[in-house]
Amino acid sequence: MHKLVVLYPEPVDREHFREYYVNTHLPLVARIPGVLAYRYSFEVQAPRGESPYFAVFEADFADLESYRAGMSTPEAAAVVADVPNYATGGSLTLTYSTKD
């Protein structure tokens, strides 16, 4: 399994982020070939103190090759290009393969 994780710091407008993310951005994500499942949360917590992140997104791909293939498509390019439309606080993207 290969994972894609995106962490979003606090945006300028939380309500705009939520509305745009759910109604516009996630439908674009659903079009990326190879995405097996995805999930998100606007309730990011830290073990101690306040979390530096407002939202988190995670997507599953079968393996690294599927991830690379999916992310090299026009659909994925559209998703990446859309991020500045709602993530005014920026974003941090991580990918990794998991071991069972």
Side-chain angles (χ1 to χ4, degrees):
M1 183 77 55
H2 196 81
K3 304 277 188 177
L4 166 67
V5 174
V6 183
L7 300 169
Y8 295 100
E10 186 72 33
V12 172
D13 183 340
R14 287 177 157 222
E15 193 53 41
H16 170 73
F17 183 112
R18 284 186 186 103
E19 189 277 326
Y20 190 94
Y21 192 76
V22 170
N23 296 313
T24 303
H25 191 72
L26 290 178
L28 295 175
V29 170
R31 296 179 186 155
I32 298 174
V35 173
L36 301 174
Y38 64 86
R39 62 209 59 81
Y40 68 95
S41 178
F42 298 130
E43 299 176 23
V44 181
Q45 300 174 13
R48 293 183 194 95
E50 212 171 300
S51 172
Y53 299 106
F54 167 72
V56 61
F57 170 85
E58 180 181 316
D60 301 332
F61 293 82
D63 50 34
L64 178 58
E65 293 75 25
S66 298
Y67 165 76
R68 287 181 175 160
M71 294 307 290
S72 67
T73 63
E75 292 87 352
V79 169
V80 172
D82 189 50
V83 172
N85 293 324
Y86 65 90
T88 54
S91 64
L92 172 65
T93 302
L94 306 166
T95 72
Y96 55 93
S97 293
T98 61
K99 309 280 185 223
D100 291 332

